[in-house]
Amino acid sequence: MTLGFILLGLLLNKPMTGYDLKSFFNNSVNFFWSAELSQIYRELSKLETQGYIISRTEQQDKKIYEVSGEGQEVFLKWLKEFPENLTPVSRNEFLVRIFFSAKLSKEELVNQFERYICQQEEEAEIYKAIEQKINSSITAGECGTDIICRRFTVRRGIYFTQSEMQWAKECIEEISKLQPEKET
Amino acid sequence: MTLGFILLGLLLNKPMTGYDLKSFFNNSVNFFWSAELSQIYRELSKLETQGYIISRTEQQDKKIYEVSGEGQEVFLKWLKEFPENLTPVSRNEFLVRIFFSAKLSKEELVNQFERYICQQEEEAEIYKAIEQKINSSITAGECGTDIICRRFTVRRGIYFTQSEMQWAKECIEEISKLQPEKET
DNA sequence: GAATTCATGTAACTTGTTACATGATTTA
DNA sequence: TAAATCATGTAACAAGTTACATGAATTC
C-alpha cells in the first residue's frame, strides 16, 4: 500500500497523469522507493475505485488525477502513524553475495568490494549534486518545510553511501591482513 | 532468483529441510534478505524440478534437500558475477514518510526521528552481540573464511545503524534550528 | 493430557517486473 | 518525414505475504 500513499502524496502537490507521476518519481522518491509505470497505472485505478483520487480526461487521452477529500484524510492519517514494522524490507543482494563469499578467492573478494565502492561513489555524487541544487534554492529564498524534508532524505543518501564505502574499505583491509591463500 | 541462490548457499553447508532453512535464515541472512516459509517451500520445489537440489525423505514426513553437482556449479557461477543492477532494491518506508513530512508539525517530525533512533539503537545492539559471539569463536581458533565473511555482513549492520542514527540526529538538530511554527 | 514446536504444504491475494501494443505529439 | 518522447494501458509472469490446515514429536 506504500506506493498508493506515495502517489497520494505526490498528487497532493499538484494533479498529474500517471506518466507525470513516473517522471516525478524518478527524480525523487525513486532513491528509496521504486515502481514501474505499469504498477503506477494499476495503483491509480485502485485508488480511484477506492474514492481516494478522482480523474478527469483532457485532450482525448490525458487522464489527470486529483486527490479527493477522503484521499487527503487517509494520507494524513497514514503519515502520522509510526508502524512497528518499519525496518526497511531487507533485500540487499550485495550482502547476500558477501555472506557466501568464502567460496571466492581473496582477489575476487577484494574486487567485489572495490567495485561496490565505485558504485557507491557514483551514487554519492548524485546525492551531492542534488544537495547543491537544494541548497541554492534555499539560499534563493525558498524555505518551506517541503524542501527541508526533501533535503533530509538526500542527506541520508550521503550518509548512507559514505558509510557503505567506509565499511567496504575496512573489509578490504581485513582481507589483506588474512594469512596468504592456501593452495587447493 | 536471489532466494534460490541463498537456499543453494545454505544447503551447500549441510543438507536441510525447508523448516531448518527458515531457522537458519532467521539468524543470519534475514538481516539483509527476508523470506516466508511458504516462499521457501515454493522455491525448493522449483530448485528441485530444475535439478539443482535433490530431496530424500526421512521419518515419513521429513524432506531433506541436498545440492546437486549442477546446483553447485550454478551457485558458484552466480557468486562470481557482479551484476550492474546491484544497488539494493530501494524500499524504505521511513524515508518515504520523511519525504512527505512537511505536513507534520515540528514536534511530530522530531518524534518520528527519535523513534527511529530507538529502533536503530536496538538493531545496533543485536549486531554488536553477534559480533561479540563471532569474535569469541575466532579467538577460540575458528578462522575459516566463512566466519570472516559472516563478520563482514555484521560489521555492515553496525556501520549502517550508526550512520542512520547520526543522520537522524543531524535532522533533529536542523529541525530545532527552524523558525518557530506559524499558527494556522 | 495439553500446549508448543517441528515439519509440510495449499490457496488466495498483493506487489513487482517484463514485454508488448497503440496512438498522439514533438523534435531533428 | 522519420525518430523520439508523451501517454495510455494489457497480459503474463515472478516474487512476496497472509491465512489456513494437517499431523508428528516434544516439552510442561
Side-chain angles (χ1 to χ4, degrees), chain A residues 25-49:
Chain A
F25 231 88
N26 286 343
N27 303 311
S28 56
V29 191
N30 202 246
F31 293 108
F32 39 87
W33 203 279
S34 56
E36 294 302 318
L37 190 48
S38 61
Q39 217 181 326
I40 291 176
Y41 283 125
R42 185 167 50 186
E43 195 66 33
L44 285 172
S45 313
K46 202 179 135 200
L47 289 172
E48 193 168 24
T49 56

PDB file of all heavy atoms in Angstrom, chain A residues 25-49:
ATOM      1  N   PHE A  25       8.635  10.675  -9.793  1.00  0.00           N
ATOM      2  CA  PHE A  25       9.224   9.546  -9.079  1.00  0.00           C
ATOM      3  C   PHE A  25      10.723   9.447  -9.319  1.00  0.00           C
ATOM      4  O   PHE A  25      11.524   9.416  -8.402  1.00  0.00           O
ATOM      5  CB  PHE A  25       8.586   8.270  -9.619  1.00  0.00           C
ATOM      6  CG  PHE A  25       8.058   7.376  -8.554  1.00  0.00           C
ATOM      7  CD1 PHE A  25       6.777   7.541  -8.082  1.00  0.00           C
ATOM      8  CD2 PHE A  25       8.847   6.368  -8.031  1.00  0.00           C
ATOM      9  CE1 PHE A  25       6.284   6.704  -7.116  1.00  0.00           C
ATOM     10  CE2 PHE A  25       8.362   5.535  -7.045  1.00  0.00           C
ATOM     11  CZ  PHE A  25       7.072   5.701  -6.591  1.00  0.00           C
ATOM     12  N   ASN A  26      11.074   9.392 -10.603  1.00  0.00           N
ATOM     13  CA  ASN A  26      12.456   9.142 -10.998  1.00  0.00           C
ATOM     14  C   ASN A  26      13.445  10.137 -10.410  1.00  0.00           C
ATOM     15  O   ASN A  26      14.611   9.828 -10.242  1.00  0.00           O
ATOM     16  CB  ASN A  26      12.571   9.165 -12.524  1.00  0.00           C
ATOM     17  CG  ASN A  26      11.975   7.914 -13.122  1.00  0.00           C
ATOM     18  OD1 ASN A  26      11.764   6.933 -12.422  1.00  0.00           O
ATOM     19  ND2 ASN A  26      11.693   7.943 -14.408  1.00  0.00           N
ATOM     20  N   ASN A  27      12.981  11.326 -10.126  1.00  0.00           N
ATOM     21  CA  ASN A  27      13.899  12.335  -9.614  1.00  0.00           C
ATOM     22  C   ASN A  27      13.801  12.547  -8.118  1.00  0.00           C
ATOM     23  O   ASN A  27      14.386  13.474  -7.590  1.00  0.00           O
ATOM     24  CB  ASN A  27      13.650  13.669 -10.313  1.00  0.00           C
ATOM     25  CG  ASN A  27      13.785  13.531 -11.812  1.00  0.00           C
ATOM     26  OD1 ASN A  27      14.764  12.982 -12.289  1.00  0.00           O
ATOM     27  ND2 ASN A  27      12.780  13.980 -12.534  1.00  0.00           N
ATOM     28  N   SER A  28      13.023  11.727  -7.461  1.00  0.00           N
ATOM     29  CA  SER A  28      12.899  11.977  -6.021  1.00  0.00           C
ATOM     30  C   SER A  28      12.726  10.680  -5.241  1.00  0.00           C
ATOM     31  O   SER A  28      13.701  10.063  -4.824  1.00  0.00           O
ATOM     32  CB  SER A  28      11.733  12.922  -5.757  1.00  0.00           C
ATOM     33  OG  SER A  28      10.526  12.409  -6.316  1.00  0.00           O
ATOM     34  N   VAL A  29      11.501  10.257  -5.120  1.00  0.00           N
ATOM     35  CA  VAL A  29      11.175   9.085  -4.322  1.00  0.00           C
ATOM     36  C   VAL A  29      11.937   7.841  -4.775  1.00  0.00           C
ATOM     37  O   VAL A  29      12.225   6.945  -3.990  1.00  0.00           O
ATOM     38  CB  VAL A  29       9.655   8.804  -4.404  1.00  0.00           C
ATOM     39  CG1 VAL A  29       9.251   7.771  -3.398  1.00  0.00           C
ATOM     40  CG2 VAL A  29       8.865  10.074  -4.194  1.00  0.00           C
ATOM     41  N   ASN A  30      12.269   7.839  -6.047  1.00  0.00           N
ATOM     42  CA  ASN A  30      12.932   6.678  -6.644  1.00  0.00           C
ATOM     43  C   ASN A  30      14.170   6.216  -5.877  1.00  0.00           C
ATOM     44  O   ASN A  30      14.528   5.056  -5.932  1.00  0.00           O
ATOM     45  CB  ASN A  30      13.325   7.004  -8.077  1.00  0.00           C
ATOM     46  CG  ASN A  30      13.518   5.750  -8.892  1.00  0.00           C
ATOM     47  OD1 ASN A  30      14.599   5.444  -9.325  1.00  0.00           O
ATOM     48  ND2 ASN A  30      12.451   4.971  -9.053  1.00  0.00           N
ATOM     49  N   PHE A  31      14.814   7.124  -5.157  1.00  0.00           N
ATOM     50  CA  PHE A  31      16.009   6.753  -4.406  1.00  0.00           C
ATOM     51  C   PHE A  31      15.681   5.838  -3.226  1.00  0.00           C
ATOM     52  O   PHE A  31      16.535   5.127  -2.737  1.00  0.00           O
ATOM     53  CB  PHE A  31      16.746   7.996  -3.907  1.00  0.00           C
ATOM     54  CG  PHE A  31      17.338   8.810  -5.012  1.00  0.00           C
ATOM     55  CD1 PHE A  31      16.801  10.028  -5.376  1.00  0.00           C
ATOM     56  CD2 PHE A  31      18.433   8.315  -5.717  1.00  0.00           C
ATOM     57  CE1 PHE A  31      17.353  10.768  -6.413  1.00  0.00           C
ATOM     58  CE2 PHE A  31      18.987   9.048  -6.757  1.00  0.00           C
ATOM     59  CZ  PHE A  31      18.438  10.277  -7.107  1.00  0.00           C
ATOM     60  N   PHE A  32      14.437   5.857  -2.787  1.00  0.00           N
ATOM     61  CA  PHE A  32      14.096   4.973  -1.674  1.00  0.00           C
ATOM     62  C   PHE A  32      12.810   4.190  -1.883  1.00  0.00           C
ATOM     63  O   PHE A  32      12.394   3.421  -1.031  1.00  0.00           O
ATOM     64  CB  PHE A  32      14.049   5.739  -0.344  1.00  0.00           C
ATOM     65  CG  PHE A  32      13.447   7.106  -0.461  1.00  0.00           C
ATOM     66  CD1 PHE A  32      12.089   7.282  -0.359  1.00  0.00           C
ATOM     67  CD2 PHE A  32      14.270   8.200  -0.667  1.00  0.00           C
ATOM     68  CE1 PHE A  32      11.537   8.549  -0.462  1.00  0.00           C
ATOM     69  CE2 PHE A  32      13.722   9.475  -0.773  1.00  0.00           C
ATOM     70  CZ  PHE A  32      12.368   9.643  -0.667  1.00  0.00           C
ATOM     71  N   TRP A  33      12.206   4.360  -3.049  1.00  0.00           N
ATOM     72  CA  TRP A  33      11.062   3.505  -3.411  1.00  0.00           C
ATOM     73  C   TRP A  33      10.929   3.477  -4.917  1.00  0.00           C
ATOM     74  O   TRP A  33      10.775   4.526  -5.538  1.00  0.00           O
ATOM     75  CB  TRP A  33       9.753   3.993  -2.783  1.00  0.00           C
ATOM     76  CG  TRP A  33       8.761   2.878  -2.681  1.00  0.00           C
ATOM     77  CD1 TRP A  33       7.953   2.407  -3.657  1.00  0.00           C
ATOM     78  CD2 TRP A  33       8.518   2.065  -1.525  1.00  0.00           C
ATOM     79  NE1 TRP A  33       7.216   1.352  -3.193  1.00  0.00           N
ATOM     80  CE2 TRP A  33       7.540   1.113  -1.892  1.00  0.00           C
ATOM     81  CE3 TRP A  33       9.038   2.038  -0.233  1.00  0.00           C
ATOM     82  CZ2 TRP A  33       7.074   0.160  -0.998  1.00  0.00           C
ATOM     83  CZ3 TRP A  33       8.559   1.097   0.650  1.00  0.00           C
ATOM     84  CH2 TRP A  33       7.588   0.168   0.276  1.00  0.00           C
ATOM     85  N   SER A  34      10.991   2.309  -5.495  1.00  0.00           N
ATOM     86  CA  SER A  34      10.922   2.229  -6.947  1.00  0.00           C
ATOM     87  C   SER A  34       9.587   1.644  -7.385  1.00  0.00           C
ATOM     88  O   SER A  34       8.951   0.894  -6.659  1.00  0.00           O
ATOM     89  CB  SER A  34      12.065   1.372  -7.476  1.00  0.00           C
ATOM     90  OG  SER A  34      12.025   0.104  -6.881  1.00  0.00           O
ATOM     91  N   ALA A  35       9.163   2.003  -8.575  1.00  0.00           N
ATOM     92  CA  ALA A  35       7.923   1.449  -9.131  1.00  0.00           C
ATOM     93  C   ALA A  35       7.922   1.579 -10.639  1.00  0.00           C
ATOM     94  O   ALA A  35       8.382   2.585 -11.184  1.00  0.00           O
ATOM     95  CB  ALA A  35       6.714   2.160  -8.545  1.00  0.00           C
ATOM     96  N   GLU A  36       7.419   0.576 -11.306  1.00  0.00           N
ATOM     97  CA  GLU A  36       7.273   0.618 -12.749  1.00  0.00           C
ATOM     98  C   GLU A  36       6.012   1.390 -13.111  1.00  0.00           C
ATOM     99  O   GLU A  36       5.073   1.457 -12.329  1.00  0.00           O
ATOM    100  CB  GLU A  36       7.166  -0.798 -13.314  1.00  0.00           C
ATOM    101  CG  GLU A  36       8.412  -1.634 -13.149  1.00  0.00           C
ATOM    102  CD  GLU A  36       9.627  -1.001 -13.794  1.00  0.00           C
ATOM    103  OE1 GLU A  36       9.500  -0.468 -14.924  1.00  0.00           O
ATOM    104  OE2 GLU A  36      10.712  -1.022 -13.178  1.00  0.00           O
ATOM    105  N   LEU A  37       6.019   1.905 -14.330  1.00  0.00           N
ATOM    106  CA  LEU A  37       4.868   2.663 -14.818  1.00  0.00           C
ATOM    107  C   LEU A  37       3.599   1.823 -14.780  1.00  0.00           C
ATOM    108  O   LEU A  37       2.542   2.285 -14.338  1.00  0.00           O
ATOM    109  CB  LEU A  37       5.170   3.142 -16.245  1.00  0.00           C
ATOM    110  CG  LEU A  37       4.220   4.152 -16.884  1.00  0.00           C
ATOM    111  CD1 LEU A  37       3.936   5.312 -15.947  1.00  0.00           C
ATOM    112  CD2 LEU A  37       4.823   4.685 -18.171  1.00  0.00           C
ATOM    113  N   SER A  38       3.722   0.586 -15.196  1.00  0.00           N
ATOM    114  CA  SER A  38       2.536  -0.275 -15.235  1.00  0.00           C
ATOM    115  C   SER A  38       1.960  -0.464 -13.831  1.00  0.00           C
ATOM    116  O   SER A  38       0.744  -0.561 -13.652  1.00  0.00           O
ATOM    117  CB  SER A  38       2.882  -1.624 -15.839  1.00  0.00           C
ATOM    118  OG  SER A  38       3.866  -2.273 -15.070  1.00  0.00           O
ATOM    119  N   GLN A  39       2.855  -0.482 -12.862  1.00  0.00           N
ATOM    120  CA  GLN A  39       2.421  -0.621 -11.477  1.00  0.00           C
ATOM    121  C   GLN A  39       1.694   0.645 -11.020  1.00  0.00           C
ATOM    122  O   GLN A  39       0.691   0.585 -10.310  1.00  0.00           O
ATOM    123  CB  GLN A  39       3.684  -0.793 -10.650  1.00  0.00           C
ATOM    124  CG  GLN A  39       3.604  -1.735  -9.504  1.00  0.00           C
ATOM    125  CD  GLN A  39       4.943  -1.745  -8.781  1.00  0.00           C
ATOM    126  OE1 GLN A  39       6.012  -1.610  -9.402  1.00  0.00           O
ATOM    127  NE2 GLN A  39       4.887  -1.900  -7.487  1.00  0.00           N
ATOM    128  N   ILE A  40       2.196   1.775 -11.455  1.00  0.00           N
ATOM    129  CA  ILE A  40       1.588   3.058 -11.101  1.00  0.00           C
ATOM    130  C   ILE A  40       0.170   3.130 -11.661  1.00  0.00           C
ATOM    131  O   ILE A  40      -0.763   3.523 -10.969  1.00  0.00           O
ATOM    132  CB  ILE A  40       2.456   4.223 -11.617  1.00  0.00           C
ATOM    133  CG1 ILE A  40       3.768   4.273 -10.818  1.00  0.00           C
ATOM    134  CG2 ILE A  40       1.720   5.554 -11.530  1.00  0.00           C
ATOM    135  CD1 ILE A  40       4.764   5.315 -11.296  1.00  0.00           C
ATOM    136  N   TYR A  41       0.000   2.729 -12.921  1.00  0.00           N
ATOM    137  CA  TYR A  41      -1.332   2.757 -13.518  1.00  0.00           C
ATOM    138  C   TYR A  41      -2.294   1.857 -12.743  1.00  0.00           C
ATOM    139  O   TYR A  41      -3.431   2.221 -12.466  1.00  0.00           O
ATOM    140  CB  TYR A  41      -1.273   2.324 -14.986  1.00  0.00           C
ATOM    141  CG  TYR A  41      -0.755   3.414 -15.895  1.00  0.00           C
ATOM    142  CD1 TYR A  41       0.331   3.203 -16.724  1.00  0.00           C
ATOM    143  CD2 TYR A  41      -1.362   4.667 -15.919  1.00  0.00           C
ATOM    144  CE1 TYR A  41       0.810   4.201 -17.557  1.00  0.00           C
ATOM    145  CE2 TYR A  41      -0.884   5.672 -16.752  1.00  0.00           C
ATOM    146  CZ  TYR A  41       0.195   5.436 -17.568  1.00  0.00           C
ATOM    147  OH  TYR A  41       0.665   6.422 -18.395  1.00  0.00           O
ATOM    148  N   ARG A  42      -1.817   0.682 -12.403  1.00  0.00           N
ATOM    149  CA  ARG A  42      -2.675  -0.240 -11.653  1.00  0.00           C
ATOM    150  C   ARG A  42      -3.082   0.359 -10.320  1.00  0.00           C
ATOM    151  O   ARG A  42      -4.236   0.286  -9.918  1.00  0.00           O
ATOM    152  CB  ARG A  42      -1.932  -1.561 -11.441  1.00  0.00           C
ATOM    153  CG  ARG A  42      -2.791  -2.615 -10.780  1.00  0.00           C
ATOM    154  CD  ARG A  42      -2.164  -3.991 -10.866  1.00  0.00           C
ATOM    155  NE  ARG A  42      -0.772  -3.970 -10.418  1.00  0.00           N
ATOM    156  CZ  ARG A  42       0.059  -5.013 -10.495  1.00  0.00           C
ATOM    157  NH1 ARG A  42      -0.350  -6.145 -11.023  1.00  0.00           N
ATOM    158  NH2 ARG A  42       1.286  -4.938 -10.070  1.00  0.00           N
ATOM    159  N   GLU A  43      -2.108   0.973  -9.640  1.00  0.00           N
ATOM    160  CA  GLU A  43      -2.376   1.558  -8.332  1.00  0.00           C
ATOM    161  C   GLU A  43      -3.340   2.740  -8.458  1.00  0.00           C
ATOM    162  O   GLU A  43      -4.234   2.904  -7.614  1.00  0.00           O
ATOM    163  CB  GLU A  43      -1.056   2.003  -7.694  1.00  0.00           C
ATOM    164  CG  GLU A  43      -1.130   2.290  -6.202  1.00  0.00           C
ATOM    165  CD  GLU A  43      -1.431   1.067  -5.349  1.00  0.00           C
ATOM    166  OE1 GLU A  43      -1.005  -0.057  -5.713  1.00  0.00           O
ATOM    167  OE2 GLU A  43      -2.108   1.231  -4.310  1.00  0.00           O
ATOM    168  N   LEU A  44      -3.196   3.513  -9.521  1.00  0.00           N
ATOM    169  CA  LEU A  44      -4.088   4.658  -9.734  1.00  0.00           C
ATOM    170  C   LEU A  44      -5.532   4.180  -9.896  1.00  0.00           C
ATOM    171  O   LEU A  44      -6.457   4.748  -9.312  1.00  0.00           O
ATOM    172  CB  LEU A  44      -3.647   5.465 -10.961  1.00  0.00           C
ATOM    173  CG  LEU A  44      -2.406   6.345 -10.772  1.00  0.00           C
ATOM    174  CD1 LEU A  44      -1.951   6.937 -12.101  1.00  0.00           C
ATOM    175  CD2 LEU A  44      -2.668   7.472  -9.766  1.00  0.00           C
ATOM    176  N   SER A  45      -5.724   3.119 -10.686  1.00  0.00           N
ATOM    177  CA  SER A  45      -7.085   2.581 -10.865  1.00  0.00           C
ATOM    178  C   SER A  45      -7.662   2.172  -9.524  1.00  0.00           C
ATOM    179  O   SER A  45      -8.825   2.442  -9.217  1.00  0.00           O
ATOM    180  CB  SER A  45      -7.065   1.354 -11.774  1.00  0.00           C
ATOM    181  OG  SER A  45      -6.307   1.607 -12.913  1.00  0.00           O
ATOM    182  N   LYS A  46      -6.822   1.536  -8.718  1.00  0.00           N
ATOM    183  CA  LYS A  46      -7.276   1.067  -7.413  1.00  0.00           C
ATOM    184  C   LYS A  46      -7.666   2.253  -6.528  1.00  0.00           C
ATOM    185  O   LYS A  46      -8.740   2.255  -5.917  1.00  0.00           O
ATOM    186  CB  LYS A  46      -6.148   0.253  -6.759  1.00  0.00           C
ATOM    187  CG  LYS A  46      -6.632  -0.713  -5.693  1.00  0.00           C
ATOM    188  CD  LYS A  46      -5.462  -1.500  -5.126  1.00  0.00           C
ATOM    189  CE  LYS A  46      -5.515  -1.568  -3.616  1.00  0.00           C
ATOM    190  NZ  LYS A  46      -4.194  -1.888  -3.021  1.00  0.00           N
ATOM    191  N   LEU A  47      -6.802   3.252  -6.502  1.00  0.00           N
ATOM    192  CA  LEU A  47      -7.078   4.439  -5.682  1.00  0.00           C
ATOM    193  C   LEU A  47      -8.362   5.121  -6.138  1.00  0.00           C
ATOM    194  O   LEU A  47      -9.113   5.656  -5.312  1.00  0.00           O
ATOM    195  CB  LEU A  47      -5.910   5.432  -5.769  1.00  0.00           C
ATOM    196  CG  LEU A  47      -4.603   5.042  -5.065  1.00  0.00           C
ATOM    197  CD1 LEU A  47      -3.495   6.030  -5.418  1.00  0.00           C
ATOM    198  CD2 LEU A  47      -4.782   4.959  -3.558  1.00  0.00           C
ATOM    199  N   GLU A  48      -8.614   5.071  -7.440  1.00  0.00           N
ATOM    200  CA  GLU A  48      -9.823   5.723  -7.933  1.00  0.00           C
ATOM    201  C   GLU A  48     -11.079   4.956  -7.502  1.00  0.00           C
ATOM    202  O   GLU A  48     -12.044   5.555  -7.044  1.00  0.00           O
ATOM    203  CB  GLU A  48      -9.785   5.877  -9.455  1.00  0.00           C
ATOM    204  CG  GLU A  48     -10.878   6.822  -9.946  1.00  0.00           C
ATOM    205  CD  GLU A  48     -10.706   7.235 -11.393  1.00  0.00           C
ATOM    206  OE1 GLU A  48     -10.044   6.491 -12.168  1.00  0.00           O
ATOM    207  OE2 GLU A  48     -11.241   8.302 -11.772  1.00  0.00           O
ATOM    208  N   THR A  49     -11.030   3.633  -7.628  1.00  0.00           N
ATOM    209  CA  THR A  49     -12.211   2.851  -7.197  1.00  0.00           C
ATOM    210  C   THR A  49     -12.422   2.974  -5.687  1.00  0.00           C
ATOM    211  O   THR A  49     -13.545   2.889  -5.220  1.00  0.00           O
ATOM    212  CB  THR A  49     -12.087   1.359  -7.569  1.00  0.00           C
ATOM    213  OG1 THR A  49     -10.878   0.843  -7.003  1.00  0.00           O
ATOM    214  CG2 THR A  49     -12.057   1.145  -9.064  1.00  0.00           C
TER     215      THR A  49
END
